[in-house]
Amino acid sequence: NTVMAAQMTDAHRRFLQVLMSNGITEGSEARKLHQHCCETDKVYYAHDKLDDFISTINSHLQPLFMQIRKGISEDDGRANYAVVNLAETEVTKMASDYTEMELELFRKTMDLIILSENGFASSTDILNLADQLKTKKMKKKEAEQVLKVFVEDKWLSEKNGEYTLHTRCIIEMEQYILSNYQDVARKCNICHSLAIQSQVCDSCGIGMHLPCVRKYFRGQTEPRCPKCNEFWSCDTP
Amino acid sequence: QVSELVQFLLVKDQKKIPIKRADMLKNVIREYRDAYSEIVNRAGKTLQEVFGLQLVEIDSKRHTYILINNLPRVEGKYLCRDEEKEKMGLLLIILSFIFMKGNSVKDSALWEFLHLLRVYPGKQHQVFGDVRKLVTEEFVRQKYLEITPIPLTDPPEFKYHWGPRAEKEISKRDVLNAVAKIQGKDPTFWASQYSEAEA
């Protein structure tokens, strides 16, 4: 099954530029953007060809170790797109926007989140970390401010004083997380992508995304684990 | 190296700060110094082909570069975030004013003009915040505007010109056409601006 490497047109370039400046783009926004770009640059538009459109761009991004990647939000199951860097050189988006100290806080926060049961780290726990940073101790006030910036920049998202990884972060860092947290990072049993927030089977320990659980158990009165067949112990969302 | 340089340039340019050759050599090219021009050339071609961005040297003495958007400019909501769009709007008004006044205006004249738009240097603007900072610092740092001191003035006065990024990214013809439209006149009404715009 050969895929023809289609030419990049200005429509593709415009789409890519906007995706890059957005950081993360929601599915319906991406579809609207696709239409806008094709109309603006007078390129053939078919509303169901977004995937092909993106593939064309990706075939040109591949030699640059970049990719437009689709990720599913762990909260609402909606598709989101982000431009990710596949190579692990020092030139990554986060590295250029934050200080060493802030990056260390982020990495430690990410540790907490990934090692947690439910994919969340409380602000108290994170603020305690700030005190123990190797680069330089960070005061609690400063750490609170940094956390705010991480949320604004869509690396973290906050719910009720607890923090988890934003969809953007998961899309961009999935490879990094899967390779650096190999033994600890969970993969969803249904869709096989990285799962930060998940429900876990009490008996056999497999995990599933909440939207995946919702879809899988739809209409079932007695939800059972797809692997070990024991009753699913968590409340299905 | 080419792909690394492309990524480096994209990341640096995100903040619209000009990129120095020295930084490129130190952070990306490193031991491949001899192949510097080749690498930069290829990176430039890739940026154009894949992203529609052009790598332009704006200072040949100090070897600084910027990336400019080479795609045809278009109106519309997708170009950038609202805040950016508003800043661009103000910038275009300022650039138009400077162009129509013969490419150079005194700072007093510029601020007098902005008064008419209810934009005051001392006051926080609802949308732009600290306008003086935006115009004299941000727009200058991004190379959209250039400020040069006028010699022998006391207190010191300054004049404003288009910066190298504005020269590359914004078409004088578009500016003249827009002004002509607003004023209900033909662009040729302004003879010297017209010949400059058509050059």
Side-chain angles (χ1 to χ4, degrees):
Chain A
N1 218 350
T2 50
V3 178
M4 284 218 308
Q7 287 280 55
M8 287 283 289
T9 66
D10 277 351
H12 294 96
R13 296 183 188 111
R14 196 181 296 277
F15 185 84
L16 178 57
Q17 279 193 21
V18 176
L19 240 62
M20 283 174 65
S21 77
N22 281 350
I24 183 167
T25 307
E26 208 248 315
S28 59
E29 273 302 307
R31 280 188 286 280
K32 273 192 250 166
L33 181 62
H34 174 214
Q35 182 173 16
H36 169 85
C37 291
C38 289
E39 284 171 3
T40 304
D41 296 295
K42 307 205 176 47
V43 166
Y44 172 69
Y45 170 70
H47 73 95
D48 57 345
K49 294 283 181 200
L50 178 58
D51 285 340
D52 286 347
F53 189 78
I54 290 180
S55 298
T56 302
I57 302 175
N58 276 339
S59 66
H60 286 81
L61 287 176
Q62 194 191 28
L64 304 171
F65 303 103
M66 291 170 71
Q67 190 184 51
I68 296 178
R69 189 171 274 196
K70 181 161 81 168
I72 309 292
S73 161
E74 292 188 336
D75 294 317
D76 57 19
R78 286 219 192 97
N80 285 272
Y81 295 89
V83 180
V84 308
N85 173 355
L86 300 174
E88 282 185 40
T89 62
E90 286 168 34
V91 186
T92 60
K93 247 166 265 186
M94 275 204 100
S96 73
D97 285 339
Y98 305 103
T99 64
E100 266 310 307
M101 195 167 68
E102 290 163 348
L103 289 173
E104 196 193 337
L105 180 66
F106 184 79
R107 265 180 261 124
K108 292 210 150 61
T109 304
M110 193 157 68
D111 285 346
L112 273 185
I113 290 172
I114 295 176
L115 294 167
S116 76
E117 276 289 311
N118 63 351
F120 280 89
S122 73
S123 76
T124 323
D125 289 342
I126 300 174
L127 294 177
N128 285 337
L129 285 177
D131 219 28
Q132 302 160 26
L133 294 182
K134 285 203 199 99
T135 33
K136 201 173 109 178
K137 289 199 208 296
M138 201 190 278
K139 295 200 195 81
K140 291 227 159 77
K141 273 265 174 245
E142 213 187 323
E144 273 172 7
Q145 192 48 35
V146 175
L147 280 178
K148 229 169 155 201
V149 173
F150 284 148
V151 171
E152 265 165 27
D153 291 349
K154 306 204 177 135
W155 296 110
L156 293 179
S157 75
E158 187 257 334
K159 215 193 287 184
N160 302 326
E162 297 203 310
Y163 293 86
T164 185
L165 301 184
H166 195 284
T167 309
R168 180 217 186 155
C169 183
I170 298 176
I171 297 177
E172 292 216 23
M173 302 211 192
E174 184 172 3
Q175 299 299 112
Y176 172 82
I177 293 173
L178 288 174
S179 51
N180 285 40
Y181 294 86
Q182 238 174 19
D183 301 323
V184 197
R186 218 170 269 134
K187 270 190 172 176
C188 174
N189 194 259
I190 304 289
C191 70
H192 307 291
S193 300
L194 174 65
I196 300 293
Q197 298 175 55
S198 58
Q199 286 195 349
V200 177
C201 173
D202 271 348
S203 315
C204 67
I206 60 148
M208 302 204 283
H209 290 120
L210 279 73
C212 294
V213 167
R214 199 179 297 137
K215 249 193 281 184
Y216 185 75
F217 288 139
R218 187 176 296 161
Q220 292 185 36
T221 42
E222 288 183 355
R224 284 174 177 274
C225 172
K227 186 158 178 226
C228 68
N229 212 34
E230 288 296 316
F231 280 121
W232 191 253
S233 40
C234 316
D235 286 328
T236 49
Chain B
Q1 291 327 98
V2 175
S3 57
E4 227 181 294
L5 182 60
V6 167
Q7 286 194 18
F8 180 78
L9 293 170
L10 286 171
V11 166
K12 283 285 172 193
D13 188 74
Q14 210 179 22
K15 311 209 196 80
K16 293 221 176 106
I17 298 176
I19 307 143
K20 297 193 210 110
R21 183 171 77 170
D23 285 342
M24 286 197 260
L25 284 169
K26 184 173 93 170
N27 291 308
V28 183
I29 302 187
R30 298 182 300 251
E31 57 270 25
Y32 302 94
R33 289 181 100 87
D34 295 335
Y36 171 76
S37 339
E38 175 72 23
I39 297 174
V40 170
N41 268 337
R42 289 214 217 150
K45 287 212 180 86
T46 305
L47 285 165
Q48 175 56 58
E49 175 62 25
V50 181
F51 300 90
L53 298 171
Q54 194 184 351
L55 181 63
V56 175
E57 189 173 29
I58 55 170
D59 187 336
S60 50
K61 250 188 289 174
R62 279 175 236 139
H63 299 291
T64 42
Y65 297 82
I66 55 173
L67 290 183
I68 62 161
N69 192 346
N70 230 0
L71 296 176
R73 285 260 138 169
V74 90
E75 299 231 335
K77 348 170 222 160
Y78 297 106
L79 208 51
C80 39
R81 292 193 311 251
D82 286 336
E83 191 195 301
E84 289 300 308
K85 213 168 11 141
E86 281 150 359
K87 283 187 190 165
M88 278 296 120
L90 179 64
L91 175 67
L92 280 174
I93 291 174
I94 294 174
L95 290 174
S96 304
F97 180 67
I98 296 175
F99 175 53
M100 298 309 287
K101 287 285 174 197
N103 292 320
S104 176
V105 299
K106 273 199 344 205
D107 56 354
S108 48
L110 178 63
W111 290 109
E112 223 175 86
F113 171 69
L114 290 177
H115 270 215
L116 299 174
L117 305 172
R118 309 243 197 104
V119 175
Y120 307 103
K123 238 165 110 180
Q124 277 282 72
H125 189 270
Q126 205 180 11
V127 173
F128 305 118
D130 185 343
V131 184
R132 180 176 283 286
K133 202 169 175 206
L134 176 61
V135 174
T136 61
E137 288 180 24
E138 193 171 326
F139 285 158
V140 172
R141 191 184 58 230
Q142 295 174 344
K143 304 291 179 185
Y144 279 115
L145 290 177
E146 221 166 58
I147 309 184
T148 46
I150 302 175
L152 306 173
T153 50
D154 187 37
E157 287 173 44
F158 299 87
K159 37 185 184 152
Y160 285 78
H161 314 261
W162 282 37
R165 190 187 290 273
E167 294 278 353
K168 296 271 183 219
E169 284 191 6
I170 296 163
S171 133
K172 289 194 162 141
R173 186 187 291 178
D174 287 349
V175 169
L176 183 60
N177 285 339
V179 171
K181 200 165 168 194
I182 293 170
Q183 299 215 17
K185 295 194 169 82
D186 193 85
T188 50
F189 180 76
W190 296 273
S192 85
Q193 280 85 353
Y194 183 74
S195 57
E196 196 184 328
E198 293 298 310

